[in-house]
Amino acid sequence: MVTDPATDTILTLDNVVAGYGKMTILHGTSFSVARGAITTVIGPNGAGKSTVFKTVFGMLPARSGGIVFEGADITNLTPRELLARGISYVPQGRNIFPELSVRHNLEFGAVMAPKGFDLAGRMDAAMDRFPVLRRKAGQQASTLSGGEQKMLEIARALLLEPKLMMIDEPSIGLSPILVNELFATLTGMRDRGITVLMIEQTPSARWKSPTTASCWSSAAPASPTPRRRSSPIRASGSFFWVVGWKATPPDKK
């Protein structure tokens, strides 16, 4: 069984191998995510970033290797089991029910809630965090802007108060203003103690001075351990970077 080597690490992937059918995408991927940090997996299309998330969240089986969350082996657990342990996942793209109201879309975040779950209280808390959702609670979700729809997805994933939230390319298709609002939201989540693990295709100037940075290839690890790095990070080829920010907030200009 894989063990978690650091007390401030919430998630660890150890030599994970996974893929689709006969195609192997992850050939021994290993990295750790610091508790209370925003960690970004950066790389181009085809580098294996989304495959990492799907494997962690039990949507794709790990063929070998291990995944540890808060010191417990969660390799190949189901999404339902992972939700119960405090992991939520916001996939890439728009994942809403456009013909349903904003309120009903938000309620779907509690489909797997335990008995006695305070849905009304959690709904109020979610709409307090995202006032636009309260203002438009009765409208069809299809009437929301792209940024508002992404906020709805994040609010829905927050309904079960996760310890770790994984978000696949949250800024894709958003205007610069909405991207700034989104990153402010992610920073607020981190400041409330929620660990954020997200995917982006390119590094953002909003995030400065990473605490850790490690580079991995879809074929084999390019670096055995995370290392400090202050120079610009470039994503190319089949490589992806795993970059963590623990204390430095994004540029709010």
Side-chain angles (χ1 to χ4, degrees):
M1 177 176 174
V2 183
T3 57
D4 205 343
T7 56
D8 64 344
T9 296
I10 193 169
L11 180 72
T12 301
L13 279 72
D14 184 9
N15 204 32
V16 172
V17 176
Y20 306 88
K22 296 182 179 180
M23 182 180 295
T24 300
I25 304 298
L26 305 179
H27 296 255
T29 297
S30 302
F31 65 86
S32 296
V33 175
R35 185 185 304 275
I38 294 176
T39 300
T40 307
V41 180
I42 302 171
N45 286 333
K49 308 182 304 297
S50 294
T51 302
V52 169
F53 278 34
K54 291 175 183 177
T55 304
V56 170
F57 201 61
M59 300 174 67
L60 191 67
R63 298 172 181 173
S64 63
I67 304 170
V68 169
F69 178 69
E70 294 199 313
D73 190 347
I74 62 167
T75 311
N76 293 332
L77 293 185
T78 66
R80 186 184 188 98
E81 291 172 315
L82 294 171
L83 282 169
R85 288 174 180 256
I87 301 176
S88 65
Y89 174 42
V90 179
Q92 184 181 0
R94 297 290 174 261
N95 298 280
I96 62 170
F97 298 93
E99 302 305 317
L100 296 182
S101 70
V102 170
R103 181 180 297 278
H104 287 156
N105 268 271
L106 188 55
E107 288 174 346
F108 272 107
V111 166
M112 296 186 180
K115 186 177 180 180
F117 181 79
D118 181 13
L119 177 59
R122 297 287 179 88
M123 290 279 290
D124 279 341
M127 289 189 282
D128 284 343
R129 291 171 180 167
F130 303 94
V132 66
L133 301 184
R134 185 182 296 280
R135 293 196 304 270
K136 300 185 178 183
Q139 295 181 203
Q140 283 189 343
S142 60
T143 64
L144 299 180
S145 68
E148 290 168 348
Q149 289 181 20
K150 183 55 65 176
M151 295 296 181
L152 174 57
E153 292 179 55
I154 293 173
R156 187 172 59 196
L158 284 171
L159 212 60
L160 295 181
E161 296 187 351
K163 302 172 184 176
L164 169 67
M165 178 178 287
M166 303 191 301
I167 312 177
D168 194 340
E169 296 199 43
S171 65
I172 191 168
L174 301 185
S175 70
I177 292 177
L178 290 177
V179 170
N180 285 336
E181 292 179 3
L182 173 64
F183 276 71
T185 297
L186 297 178
T187 303
M189 289 165 50
R190 181 200 61 185
D191 292 344
R192 292 195 302 273
I194 299 172
T195 303
V196 178
L197 177 61
M198 67 179 183
I199 289 173
E200 288 291 346
Q201 287 194 24
T202 57
S204 172
R206 295 171 182 82
W207 305 99
K208 299 179 179 180
S209 304
T211 306
T212 61
S214 57
C215 182
W216 294 94
S217 168
S218 59
S223 173
T225 57
R227 61 183 183 274
R228 292 182 179 274
R229 181 179 177 90
S230 57
S231 57
I233 295 169
R234 296 177 177 85
S236 62
S238 61
F239 293 89
F240 62 82
W241 287 90
V242 180
V243 187
W245 288 265
K246 184 130 186 172
T248 304
D251 189 351
K252 294 184 174 157
K253 292 182 180 180

